[in-house]
Amino acid sequence: MGGSGSRLSKELLAEYQANPFKERICRVFSTSPTRDSLSFEDFLDLLSVFSDTATPDIKSHYAFRIFDFDDDGTLNREDLSRLVNCLTGEGEDTRLSASEMKQLIDNILEESDIDRDGTINLSEFQHVISRSPDFASSFKIVL
Amino acid sequence: MAQPLAFILDVPETPGDQGSQEPSPYDESEVHDSFHQLIQEQSQWAAQEGLELQQREQEATGSGQQTLRRPEGTQSTATLRILASMPSRTIGRSRGAIISQYYSRTVQLRRRSSRPLLGNFVLSARPSLRLYDLELDPTAREEEEKQSLLVKELQSLAVAQRDHMLRGMPLSLAEKRSLREKSRTPRGKWRGQQGSGGVCSCCGRLRYACVLALHSLGLALLSGLQALTPWRYALKRIGGQFGSSVLSYFLFLKTLLAFNALLQLLLVAFIVGPQVAFPPALPGPAPICTGLELLTGAGCFTHTVMFYGHYSNATLNQPCGSPLDGSQCTPRAGGLPYNMPLAYLYTVGAGFFITCITLVYSMAHSFGESYRVGSTSGIHAITVFCSWDYKVMQKRASRLQQDNIRTRLKELLAEWQLRQSPRSVCGRLRQVAALGLAWLLCLGTALGCAVAIHVFSEFLIQSPEAAGQEAALLVLPLVVGLLNLGAPYLCRVLAALEPHDSPVLEVYVAICRNLILKLAILGTLCYHWLGRRVAVLQGQCWENFVGQELYRFLVMDFVLMLLDTLFGELVWRIISEKKLKRRRKPEFDIARNVLELIYGQTLTWLGVLFSPLLPTVQIIKLLLVFYVKKTSLLANCQAPRRPWLASHMSTVFLTLLCFPAFLGAAIFLCYAVWQVKPSSTCGPFRTLDSMYEAGRVWVRYLEAAGPRVSWLPWVHRYLVENTFFVFLVSALLLAVIYLNIQVVRGQRRVICLLKEQISNEGKDKIFLINKLHSIYERKEREERSRVGTTEETAAPPAVLTDERDD
C-alpha cells in the first residue's frame, strides 16, 4: 500500500476513492510540507479518528477541519457552498440551483450561527453535531 | 431552540454628543470579574501608548450600530487579521489553541472549579487573555510554555484519568505520545531511583517484563476476539455498499440471534439435557419418519424432547429410597435427584426473566445513545453536516448516496417553503380527512384479517375429516402467513394515496399499521389456542398440539419469506430491468423486514413453554434468513431512498421487540401457567390443576421436610406468592426511571456545551471591541498626524474649512 519512501499519496487511498472528501481528508491528516501525502503515522491518526472508539469530541473536531475548505478556522458561506456541492455531486445536473443553495445556506446559518457573525466556528459546529446521534456511527470507517 | 442572541453595538450617529458616549467595556455590567483586571491592565497599557477611547467618526459607525456581522470587503486587513485570530476560530485550526483549551479543561478536572482565577497564572493559557497582546501571530516559544504547563497539569492527574484526557485530545499521534512521555517522567525517575540496588533492579525488571507480556497477551486476545466476530466481513460489505440504514437490519438480526442463543442455552442445560440423560418410556412404537415432519412437526417429532408431552412428571434419578411421589426407582448409586416439573416451570420462568432484563437494559441503553435534546430543530444543518456515511466505499453506492442526499435536501427546502406559507383551512381539512380515511381502511383491514382467521380456525375445528390428514395441518399457517404478507402491501398502497408532509412520519405510520395488523392476528391465534383448542382437545395432549402449531407457523413464516424474497426482489428486478427498462432496482424495505423478524421472535417466545427446542429452530431460521437476505440484497436491491435515522430506528425496533412482542408473550405465558389446566395424559404437570401448582406442591413438601429448610417456604409464601405483581410493576417503574436518568444526562451534556460556547462568545465580543477600537484609533491618529503635517504646509483656509464643517 505504501508508495515511495513509505508515504501514501491520496491516489492510493483505496478505501476513499469514492469519498468526495478524500482530498480534504488527505490535507487535514497530512504532516508533510506539501500536504498531499500521508506517512504511516498520519494514516494511523486517520484510522484512530475514524475508529469506533474515538470520542465524539475528536470526531467533530476533525470533521470541522475537513469541512473547512479554506483552512481559516470557520465555515463561511463559501465553505458551506463547497460542502453542499461535495455532498450532492459535482456535475452540472446534480448541483442545487443557485436560489436553492442560497436558501439552504441561509437556513443552515439561521440554525447554527448563534453569535450571528455569518460564520460557523468550532463550538457552534460541535453544538450542531451533539444534537445528532447518528454522527458518531456515520463518521466511521470499518477496516 | 432559543432565540438567537443579537450583539448590537450601539454607536450614536452624531458626533460631539457628550451624553451618549459609546459604551466602553468597563461600563458594561456583563463584563465578567475575571476579565475586569485584564481589561484594566490592557487599557492602562493602551493609555501609556497614547491610545484613548474617544468619540468616533463616521468610519467607526460603519462597523457599529448593527450586529457584529463582517461586511465583506469593507474592513481593513488589520481587522480581518484580528478576526482570524479570534479564539473561537483558532481552536479550530491551531495546535497551540488546542493545547490551551485542553490545559484549561485539565485544570477544571483537577480542581473541580468553574473557572481558574486569573491571579494564579504566571502566563495564562487561554488564547484570548495574553496571547494576542496586539501581537497577532503566536510564537513558537509561547506554545512551548503552554505545552509545559499542560504537561505539569497532566502529571498531577491519576494515570487512568491522564490516559483518558490524552485520548480525547484532537492532536496527532506523535504529539500525544510526546505529551505522555513527558508526563510520565517523574515516575520513571522514581523507578530508576528504586532500582539502584542490584537485587531490586532485577525484580523490578522482571516485574516490568511480566506486565508487558500480560499486556501484549491481552491485546492479542482482544484482536482475536474481534476477528472471531461472526460475519464481520459480510457486514462491512453491506455497510460499504448500502450504508448504515440497511446495516441496522442485519445488526438487529444478530441481536435476536444472541437472545435466542441465551434462552436456548438455559433450556438445554436445565430441561432438555436431564431429560435426554434419563429418557422416559415411550408410549408406543415410534412412527416412521417421512419428510413431512420438518414442516408439520408432527409424526416422528411428537414423542421427542422437542415437545412438552415427552417430559416426565416425576423426579429423575431418584435413589431407591422412599418412593415419595410415585417416581421410578432407578438403581443408580450416587447422583442428585432432579425434580422435572419444578425444573421445567422455573427454568422457563428464569429464561423469560433474564430475557426481560436484557431486553429492557439494551433498550434503555440504545435510547440513551439515540435521544438528543433538541434534535428535531436545526434539521438543515444536521442533514448537511451529519448525513454523509463514511462507511460507503463503492463508487456506485457513493453516487447513490449523493442522489439521496440531494433529494433529501430538496425535500427539506420544499417542506420549509410549505411551512412558511401555511395551508388554508380547506386544505388542512382535506388532509385530515384523507388521513382519517386511510387509517380507517388500514384498521379495517387488520380487523378483517383477524375475523377471517377466527372464522377459518373455527371451521377447521368443526370439520374433523380434514384433521385426519397431516398435510391439512398446514392450512391455517399458510392462510395466516399469506394474510401477513399481503395486508402490509395493501396498507402501503393506501399510504401512497394519502398526503404526507414529512417522509420520516410516513415510515413511522407504516410501521404502526403493520404492527397493529400483526398484533390483531396473533391475538386471535392465542385465543384460538388457549381458548378453543384446549376445550376441544380434552383428554388428548393439547400442549403438544399448540407446540406443533407454533413450530408450523415458524416454518411457514420462513418459507413464505423465501418466496417473498424471490418474487419481491429477484423477479421484480428482472422484470423492471428487462420489460420496463428501468435502471432502478427494487428498494430494500427495512421496516417491513424488521417487523417480520419481530413477528418470528414473538412466535418463538409464545411457543417456548410448549416446545423447549423452539429457539434452536429459530436460530437455524435466522441463520438461513441472514444468508438469503444478504445474497438477495447484494444482487437485487438498492438502498432505500427515504431518510433513515439509523440510531432512532434501532431504538424503535428494540422498543417494539420489548413492549408489544415480549410483553404479549409474557402475558400469554402467565395465563398458560396460572389459569389453564394442563392435560392429564402427558407432560410434567399431568397430575396438577395448573402448572404453577408444581411450585406450590414442592413448597408444601419442603414445609413437611423439616425446620432446616423452612426459610424457603417462607420466601415462597411472602415474596413470590404475594408480591409477584408488585415486582412486575416496580420493575417497570425502574425501567422508566432509568430511561429518565438517561434523558436527563443527555440534556446536561447539551447544557455544558452551551455554557462553554457562551463563555467563548463573551470572550470574543470583548476582545473584538478592544481590538477594533485600538486599531481604528491608531489609524486615525496616524491619519491625523499626516493631515496635520500637510495642513501646516497648506494655506490657512484649510483650517477655516475644518471649523466651518464643525
Side-chain angles (χ1 to χ4, degrees), chain A residues 118-134:
Chain A
T119 65
I120 299 175
N121 57 26
L122 178 66
S123 308
E124 290 161 347
F125 182 78
Q126 282 179 327
H127 183 91
V128 170
I129 295 289
S130 75
R131 291 207 300 260
S132 160
D134 280 315

Side-chain angles (χ1 to χ4, degrees), chain A residues 18 45 94 111 115-116 137, chain B residues 4 173 380 391 398 406 761:
Chain A
D45 277 334
T94 52
E111 288 161 0
D115 59 357
R116 294 285 167 262
S137 62
Chain B
L173 208 67
H380 293 96
K391 282 203 261 323
S398 182
R406 186 177 59 250
E761 295 311 312

Side-chain angles (χ1 to χ4, degrees), chain B residues 17-34:
Chain B
D17 190 357
Q18 286 296 328
S20 57
Q21 220 180 20
E22 67 181 328
S24 76
Y26 314 111
D27 303 332
E28 278 180 12
S29 54
E30 291 99 41
V31 170
H32 199 277
D33 287 339
S34 67

Side-chain angles (χ1 to χ4, degrees), chain B residues 466-497:
Chain B
Q469 305 166 13
E470 224 180 279
L473 293 168
L474 290 172
V475 177
L476 185 62
L478 190 66
V479 166
V480 169
L482 285 172
L483 279 174
N484 230 351
L485 212 59
Y489 279 117
L490 184 68
C491 283
R492 198 145 50 121
V493 164
L494 284 170
L497 298 171

Side-chain angles (χ1 to χ4, degrees), chain A residues 15 17-21 25 41 44-45 50 55 57-58 61-62 64-67 71-75 80 83-84 86-89 93-96 100 103-104 107-108 110-112 114-135 137-143, chain B residues 1 4-5 7 67-70 86 88-89 91-93 98 102 105 167-174 176-177 232 236 244 369-370 372-375 377-386 388-391 393-395 398 402 405-406 409-410 413 416-417 645-648 750 753-754 757 760-761 764:
Chain A
E15 308 283 77
Q17 280 310 308
N19 197 321
F21 299 106
I25 290 176
E41 298 223 333
L44 275 184
D45 277 334
F50 278 98
T55 60
D57 229 9
I58 290 189
H61 187 100
Y62 276 94
F64 181 81
R65 282 173 67 183
I66 290 174
F67 294 156
D71 282 325
D72 66 347
T74 56
L75 303 179
L80 289 174
L83 171 62
V84 173
C86 274
L87 286 176
T88 59
D93 52 342
T94 52
R95 287 189 187 198
L96 294 181
E100 285 174 336
Q103 187 59 59
L104 181 65
N107 285 353
I108 292 173
E110 168 76 36
E111 288 161 0
S112 42
I114 299 182
D115 59 357
R116 294 285 167 262
D117 63 350
T119 65
I120 299 175
N121 57 26
L122 178 66
S123 308
E124 290 161 347
F125 182 78
Q126 282 179 327
H127 183 91
V128 170
I129 295 289
S130 75
R131 291 207 300 260
S132 160
D134 280 315
F135 176 71
S137 62
S138 62
F139 199 76
K140 188 161 61 163
I141 286 172
V142 179
L143 266 195
Chain B
M1 223 178 118
L5 307 165
F7 297 100
T67 58
L68 279 175
R69 191 184 301 274
R70 188 156 55 111
M86 242 165 48
S88 52
R89 296 188 187 194
I91 283 177
R93 65 164 207 271
I98 295 171
Y102 276 87
R105 275 195 198 170
R167 237 178 252 143
M169 288 192 201
L171 296 168
S172 75
L173 208 67
K176 282 198 231 191
R177 212 186 289 148
R232 203 171 58 92
K236 179 192 170 192
S244 311
E369 295 269 298
S370 72
R372 292 284 183 270
V373 177
S375 59
S377 64
I379 191 70
H380 293 96
I382 290 178
T383 309
V384 165
F385 292 141
C386 308
W388 184 264
D389 196 349
Y390 289 77
K391 282 203 261 323
M393 279 188 258
Q394 288 193 353
K395 260 210 156 52
S398 182
Q402 283 177 328
I405 291 179
R406 186 177 59 250
L409 287 174
K410 290 199 169 148
L413 284 170
W416 184 83
Q417 292 280 12
L645 307 160
S647 54
H648 271 149
V750 170
L753 277 173
L754 272 175
Q757 194 202 320
N760 277 341
E761 295 311 312
D764 281 357

